[in-house]
Amino acid sequence: MNDTDTQQWSVKQSTDLYGIEEWGGGYFGINNDGNVEVRAPGEDGKVAVPLTEIIDGLKQRGLDMPVLLRIENLVDSRISILNESFAEAIKVTGYKGQYRGAFPIKVNQQSHIVEEIARFGERYNHGLEAGSKAELMIAMSVLQNRESLIICNGYKDAEFIDLGLQARKLGFKCIFVLETIAEVRLVIKRSRELNVDPMIGVRLKLSTKVEGHWAEDSGDRSLFGLTTNQLVEVMDELREAKLLHCLQLLHFHLGSQIPNIRSIRAGVLEACRYYIEMVAEGAPLSYIDLGGGLAIDYDGTSSVSGHSRNYSVQEYCVDVVEAIAQQLDAHQLPHPTIVTESGRATVAHTSVLLFNVLDVGHFEPGPLPESLPDQPHEQLSNLWHTLKMIDGDRLQENYNDVIYYRDQVRDCFFRGEINLRDRALAENLCLAGLQRIVSLVPQMKRIPPELEALPEQLADIYYGNFSVFQSLPDSWAINQVFPVMPIHRLDEEPTRKATIADLTCDCDGKLDSFAGPDGETKTLSLHAINEGEEYHLGVFLVGAYQETLGDLHNLFGDTNVASVRINTDGSLDFVHELHGDSIADVLSYVEYDPQSMFRQFRMAAEQAVRDGRISVSERQSMLAAYSESLRGYTYFER
């Protein structure tokens, strides 16, 4: 694992190694100077800004690493792509209905994101999906276009329903999607008391199964939705209440991040059969809502892995439109308005987590002695001679011997038969032996499993200034693979293999699964750290779910946040700047009173002065440092 000559390395090789052109969606690339750049949408890559330039601007504005960077241009672009792709599919297929998007607020509730979606989406009548009273209140406050839909999912109490009915009185197209029998009765009751006809939808529990992380939430065991029997009961209750005319929308949701387009088409076809039968029952349906599921390519493989998808946005739109038209045309039914609640595909690209590397842990031997000490222990001698015998023809045997004699030395140390320095020498010899074996493994025709995993076991650990639990919770919770790569020095060969550890005192606080050119890998290729230079990494496609799901493990709080917009002349606007949580902030989140803590610390310092342990000037310095720390960033500050 020694560093090699880096002069022959090219930007093209880095592009292929990290797959940035595959997962980047045209928004990210590497320039000729070896820096990752953000490309302004619609400019054919001609207008681009290096992330290093953005980091310099952040530092000048007092925003230290880690920083969550949002690129507003990409929010606009993703909404345009979705709406215009559906418009093109409707045009080429001769579909007679319309398309309406509804962004699920739960995917990213941050005000700058939701407000930008509402503002830019207004031209497309792009709406919002709300799964709680708080989210419904957001939708009612930010949407200006009354043609935009508000889709109300989730379980609803009377207050939730009253809010939605008030939205109807204000002219919003606010649709209650019923999840249970109890909800239909509550909607009927509250609409009568407020004297307003509701817009009603029903969520179906389809039998179609999908692949991916959320496969268990599809099919008969889906957590949400009405069974066929419950659907009939809902329609009967609405008919009896003389509100069947309010039933306008059929909704289903197969799961998030659906990798296979065939599963999506199968779900649409099944839902259309319900749609046809519900119309036959007298329900005047005019919307069919596919929910979410439109996937993005996290790993660049364009496959049916849980981290990718085997279709484009354009293919998705055409397949959905064709499937609905095919089914309904056979029954001479009008084409409904197609609704999707695409969240991940709308905002994932828009955010990048940027952080610096604080330190590196190596698993390499130190200098080896020319010979063993006089009268060495037998097991230490055995390990020494094993190291000398390593060759490419007996690597499995060599590996077995190195591990065996290392363990023998450890047992001897435990029994007090060898001293600390001999134990340290043995560990160093073992590392030297394993590194020698790793260097010869590529020469083998068939690599045994133990030796195949050896490079991962000897990989470096790069310690990053961030928290997995706060900024990348899906990486820990569901093993989501995000694209990770250096954002500079990409005209140099990355000669180190590494995993990434965060600042938390937790064995799960790490990134050890990465997208590689040959599939998922346990290590990431990185550059050796240059003395006195910052080394920055970026984690991409983190705009969906990560911010709100983050927690306060070890009381690392929200990172600094910046929103930027790239202008057509290549200049950069820093639109929003938000400093991350201070230590006082996160302490208050877990019910500590920072002012009370300071008073108690001051009393302890004053007692130390009375006891003669510190001077008054030392007391003042301690109080100032404690107060400054309360105001400081929860992450590492140089």
Side-chain angles (χ1 to χ4, degrees):
M1 295 179 66
N2 294 327
D3 292 350
T4 60
D5 181 15
T6 64
Q7 298 303 311
Q8 302 304 313
W9 191 259
S10 69
V11 166
K12 173 66 166 60
Q13 287 171 289
S14 286
T15 300
D16 294 340
L17 176 63
Y18 296 109
I20 190 169
E21 296 291 348
E22 282 73 40
W23 53 256
Y27 302 125
F28 303 100
I30 305 174
N31 65 19
N32 292 332
D33 294 326
N35 298 317
V36 173
E37 61 183 12
V38 184
R39 298 167 178 167
E43 302 296 330
D44 297 324
K46 296 177 181 178
V47 178
V49 177
L51 286 176
T52 51
E53 181 180 324
I54 296 176
I55 288 177
D56 289 341
L58 294 173
K59 289 180 177 178
Q60 292 167 11
R61 289 163 174 79
L63 295 175
D64 296 325
M65 296 291 107
V67 171
L68 182 73
L69 176 68
R70 301 181 187 136
I71 305 116
E72 285 195 355
N73 306 64
L74 306 194
V75 180
D76 301 351
S77 174
R78 300 305 294 175
I79 293 175
S80 291
I81 287 173
L82 182 61
N83 281 276
E84 291 174 12
S85 295
F86 263 111
E88 180 63 18
I90 286 171
K91 179 180 178 181
V92 299
T93 60
Y95 191 81
K96 301 302 190 296
Q98 298 177 317
Y99 169 74
R100 291 288 184 269
F103 174 73
I105 297 175
K106 65 176 177 288
V107 176
N108 193 320
Q109 295 110 324
Q110 304 304 314
S111 61
H112 298 152
I113 293 289
V114 177
E115 288 167 3
E116 178 70 7
I117 289 171
R119 184 181 68 81
F120 190 81
E122 186 171 1
R123 71 183 71 176
Y124 298 112
N125 301 318
H126 205 92
L128 296 169
E129 182 268 344
S132 68
K133 287 178 282 189
E135 290 182 353
L136 177 53
M137 294 176 75
I138 291 172
M140 292 169 65
S141 69
V142 302
L143 282 180
Q144 302 299 316
N145 185 348
R146 294 301 188 264
E147 290 301 310
S148 301
L149 299 179
I150 300 177
I151 305 294
C152 296
N153 287 321
Y155 293 108
K156 308 164 194 69
D157 60 12
E159 186 177 3
F160 192 147
I161 293 168
D162 285 355
L163 277 170
L165 292 172
Q166 289 162 7
R168 288 282 298 124
K169 287 188 174 183
L170 294 174
F172 287 103
K173 291 187 175 181
C174 182
I175 304 177
F176 298 118
V177 178
L178 303 179
E179 308 269 358
T180 67
I181 296 296
E183 283 183 353
V184 68
R185 295 164 186 165
L186 194 54
V187 168
I188 292 170
K189 177 182 178 182
R190 298 310 303 160
S191 63
R192 283 173 173 168
E193 292 197 15
L194 294 179
N195 193 31
V196 57
D197 273 2
M199 294 180 72
I200 296 176
V202 288
R203 179 169 179 171
L204 300 182
K205 186 179 295 191
L206 300 183
S207 61
T208 302
K209 295 282 290 181
V210 302
E211 302 89 344
H213 280 306
W214 290 268
E216 294 303 315
D217 192 37
S218 61
D220 294 334
R221 292 294 297 170
S222 173
L223 295 177
F224 303 102
L226 302 169
T227 65
T228 307
N229 284 334
Q230 290 171 331
L231 172 61
V232 171
E233 188 174 347
V234 163
M235 289 193 295
D236 287 345
E237 295 235 10
L238 289 174
R239 182 180 288 108
E240 184 177 348
K242 302 189 184 315
L243 289 176
L244 186 60
H245 65 280
C246 297
L247 181 54
Q248 300 180 41
L249 178 142
L250 180 151
H251 171 73
F252 66 97
H253 177 69
L254 297 174
S256 182
Q257 182 69 12
I258 302 173
N260 195 336
I261 189 64
R262 290 188 294 276
S263 299
I264 294 171
R265 191 177 184 104
V268 172
L269 292 174
E270 182 184 359
C272 284
R273 284 295 309 136
Y274 281 92
Y275 187 99
I276 293 163
E277 293 300 323
M278 290 172 65
V279 171
E281 287 274 339
L285 297 178
S286 57
Y287 298 92
I288 184 165
D289 182 353
L290 281 65
L294 176 56
I296 64 168
D297 194 354
Y298 284 104
D299 61 16
T301 61
S302 297
S303 68
V304 293
S305 77
H307 312 301
S308 188
R309 80 284 180 274
N310 66 356
Y311 55 92
S312 65
V313 174
Q314 291 74 19
E315 182 182 358
Y316 169 85
C317 295
V318 169
D319 276 25
V320 166
V321 172
E322 282 186 343
I324 295 173
Q326 172 191 340
Q327 289 288 85
L328 299 194
D329 285 349
H331 295 266
Q332 292 82 48
L333 292 179
H335 294 169
T337 296
I338 299 170
V339 181
T340 68
E341 301 170 16
S342 299
R344 189 184 302 272
T346 303
V347 296
H349 292 82
T350 64
S351 297
V352 182
L353 175 68
L354 300 170
F355 64 91
N356 54 316
V357 172
L358 303 175
D359 200 0
V360 181
H362 297 291
F363 291 83
E364 293 186 339
L368 298 178
E370 294 183 2
S371 61
L372 290 176
D374 292 338
Q375 298 181 334
H377 192 281
E378 176 187 5
Q379 301 300 349
L380 190 59
S381 294
N382 290 337
L383 185 54
W384 173 270
H385 290 299
T386 297
L387 182 60
K388 302 297 183 184
M389 300 298 293
I390 293 175
D391 64 62
D393 295 329
R394 298 184 300 117
L395 287 185
Q396 180 68 67
E397 180 183 345
N398 297 149
Y399 172 80
N400 295 340
D401 290 344
V402 167
I403 297 300
Y404 175 78
Y405 290 124
R406 180 205 64 183
D407 291 346
Q408 290 296 305
V409 169
R410 288 177 175 178
D411 289 342
C412 292
F413 177 75
F414 181 75
R415 295 193 297 268
E417 297 174 7
I418 65 170
N419 60 30
L420 179 64
R421 293 185 180 275
D422 284 345
R423 165 72 186 268
L425 175 57
E427 299 291 344
N428 203 33
L429 292 173
C430 177
L431 276 178
L434 295 178
Q435 291 287 5
R436 171 66 175 160
I437 291 169
V438 165
S439 70
L440 296 173
V441 162
Q443 301 176 13
M444 302 181 73
K445 291 183 179 179
R446 291 187 178 180
I447 303 175
E450 280 184 305
L451 300 189
E452 195 171 35
L454 193 54
E456 299 169 8
Q457 298 169 17
L458 298 176
D460 296 336
I461 300 175
Y462 276 51
Y463 294 93
N465 188 16
F466 75 107
S467 164
V468 165
F469 305 96
Q470 174 59 240
S471 297
L472 303 170
D474 276 351
S475 176
W476 167 73
I478 60 172
N479 299 316
Q480 176 65 58
V481 172
F482 294 98
V484 186
M485 65 179 293
I487 66 163
H488 55 156
R489 296 176 59 187
L490 294 163
D491 52 352
E492 304 174 27
E493 182 178 3
T495 58
R496 312 302 302 181
K497 296 291 186 182
T499 58
I500 301 172
D502 71 1
L503 292 179
T504 64
C505 302
D506 196 302
C507 61
D508 285 337
K510 61 185 178 181
L511 300 177
D512 61 357
S513 188
F514 307 96
D518 299 317
E520 195 170 330
T521 67
K522 294 297 183 182
T523 59
L524 181 67
S525 295
L526 296 174
H527 303 90
I529 303 297
N530 293 331
E531 187 71 27
E533 291 184 11
E534 285 276 287
Y535 190 59
H536 290 105
L537 302 181
V539 186
F540 296 80
L541 311 188
V542 299
Y545 295 104
Q546 303 317 294
E547 291 184 70
T548 306
L549 291 178
D551 70 12
L552 292 176
H553 199 298
N554 282 120
L555 296 186
F556 287 109
D558 286 340
T559 66
N560 292 326
V561 178
S563 294
V564 300
R565 178 171 284 275
I566 302 171
N567 300 313
T568 54
D569 62 357
S571 63
L572 196 67
D573 290 336
F574 285 81
V575 184
H576 297 289
E577 302 166 29
L578 182 64
H579 285 267
D581 287 333
S582 68
I583 292 175
D585 291 332
V586 298
L587 288 171
S588 66
Y589 298 157
V590 287
E591 300 179 10
Y592 289 91
D593 180 355
Q595 292 184 349
S596 176
M597 292 171 64
F598 181 80
R599 286 195 298 270
Q600 297 210 16
F601 182 77
R602 180 175 56 79
M603 292 170 58
E606 186 63 32
Q607 183 64 48
V609 171
R610 289 197 296 269
D611 294 343
R613 292 193 295 273
I614 60 174
S615 66
V616 173
S617 62
E618 287 175 317
R619 168 195 180 274
Q620 290 302 99
S621 296
M622 289 180 182
L623 291 179
Y626 193 89
S627 178
E628 184 178 356
S629 291
L630 284 173
R631 297 190 300 272
Y633 200 18
T634 60
Y635 293 91
F636 188 90
E637 298 177 280
R638 294 193 186 276

